[in-house]
Amino acid sequence: MTNAIASVSLSGTLEDKIRAAAAAGFDEIEIFDVDFLASPLSARETRTLIGDLGLSCSLYQPFRDLEGMPDPLRARAFDRLRQKFDVMAELGCDRLLLCSNCSPLASDDRPRIVADLREVGEIAAERDLLVGYEALAWATHVWDHRVAWDIVRAVDHPHFGLLLDSFHSLARAVPNESIREIDPAKIVYVQLADAPVLDMNRLYWSRHFRNLPGQGGLDVEGYVTELTRIGYTGPLSLEIFNDRFRSTSAALVARDGVRSLNALRDAAARNLGQPTRMPGKAEILGVEFVEFAVAPEDRSALEQTIAAMGFVCAGRHRSKPVTLWRCGATNLVLNFADDGFARAYRLTHGTAICAIGLVVDNSAAAIRRAEALGGKTEGTDIPSMPAIRGVGGSLVYVLDQGSAETIWASEFDLVPVEPAGEGAIEGFDHLAVAVHNDEFLSWQLYWRALFDVQVQEAQDVIDPNGLVVSQAIQNASGTFRLTMNATDARDALSSRFLSQTFGAGFQHLAFHTGDLPALARAVRAGGLGCLPIPANYQDDALARFGLSAEESAVLRELDILVDEDARGNRYRQFYSRAFNKSFFFEFVERSGYEGYGAPNAPIRLAAQSRYRVEPLP
């Protein structure tokens, strides 16, 4: 199978799209009809550009509204078909996508449809071309690939076959297993697209919300698995209609497209027990540490802040200005280096989280998979702790289980630390990252392609100054949780963070404990500034969750928010004030609850909006 992409999937002129596809490493490109019509390049000039860049043109598309049309529209359609075949000859392209008819004038007379399509095959045979018939999900009569396959068999022409598109099949909930009934020799081409699961008009859904496999909620993996099972070996091509992609760098989308297809092929092969070219997705066992790049002028304030949260300095690096802080088994690294990665990150983002350390099942395999999927890997001063470039230029270190303590002991002069008492921080709960809207799907694909994680349903979060889209990503055990937030609202908290830090990055870090009120009292006693929560919220929580007067009093005293799932499992949380008006800390207690307190987000965001101009006490 070769990798292809439709020109409609990328932003820019036709020339821009072709160059981006070639630079990303695609083998082939589909030419979308409107892209060609809008281009000043002739078909022959386009063919030359495609060939010079090492690509081939694998499909011209789409051709619409042909079968079952009344005259004179039928005659016009066939005249137009011949003209498109002339263009394809100049392009050096041998396959055409023919959509099932969407015209209200189209007849549903099956013998007439078959006769028209057999004539298409005859005309294609004169040029030695192939035509692939695609069932559009919103077509007038033929909107199921099973029906299209029945028609292709009835046409029974060597130059006429089936074109499959995952979106059209999955949007109509056509079972993937139905692909097993198709003769792979009659599949002319396969197009792939994912999408969030939405309840809306299928045409609008298709034209605005498609995304790359691994960025949505459709079972594209199962679709490709069935194609692989029946022995299909032709191109896999991305056909993506997405408003974000139309305004996003064509290079970014094209690179993600190659990563998406390669990860998809790997998953399909694994599902069938076939050999693969890369290791499987890395299993995340937990978060070992979070590292901050710290500006000299912020050192004292940040140390005071984390000390107030219960962390103590547990070691100093033997050769670098780096310190290790611990609360129980929870590790924070403060990097004050005035050279290397930390300095470069600090110059762009200010004092910020610059890296995270993940414990994985096999670090070497994780690096190999990242490299196979186009990820940027980093050698480090510690050979046993390689890293992958992450969001905003941050690093994701990957460590083997049990190696961390060896690294701490070999790199740091450690001092004994008293065990954390009851009500202390017990570990990392989750990290939250803010990204630009046009990077949102790209970073979701990053995590889903490299690591064995799942996504929760995206949430719309109301900021006082706009709408924020939030996507939770986590592993099955819950030892790794990440939320990604993006918005186009210029004054929303996420946007202000992005503008202040000059790019995407980690906006907040959440810790978990088994006794949130005790922790809240301890950090306040230590001097941590916490986010005030309005009495109106607490009045509502008292009634909404059936709290006792004593429980409500604790929430009011300590500015704790609460949420409850459908099974009655509870989540309690409170927040620090923002450090340097930038990142902040969250503290949570879970009782069987798997979410992130989404109903409380507008309350928290409104409070942060009111107090954003004041420095951390």
Side-chain angles (χ1 to χ4, degrees), residues 429-431 473-474 478-483 590 594 596:
D429 187 84
H430 64 275
L431 291 114
I473 300 171
Q474 63 187 67
T479 57
F480 172 77
R481 302 175 190 265
L482 177 81
T483 62
R590 294 179 181 273
E594 285 300 312
Y596 297 84

Side-chain angles (χ1 to χ4, degrees), residues 541-559:
L542 173 65
R544 182 156 48 108
F545 298 112
L547 303 177
S548 68
E550 291 76 15
E551 288 178 294
S552 180
V554 170
L555 301 190
R556 292 173 192 270
E557 173 197 357
L558 301 172
D559 293 307

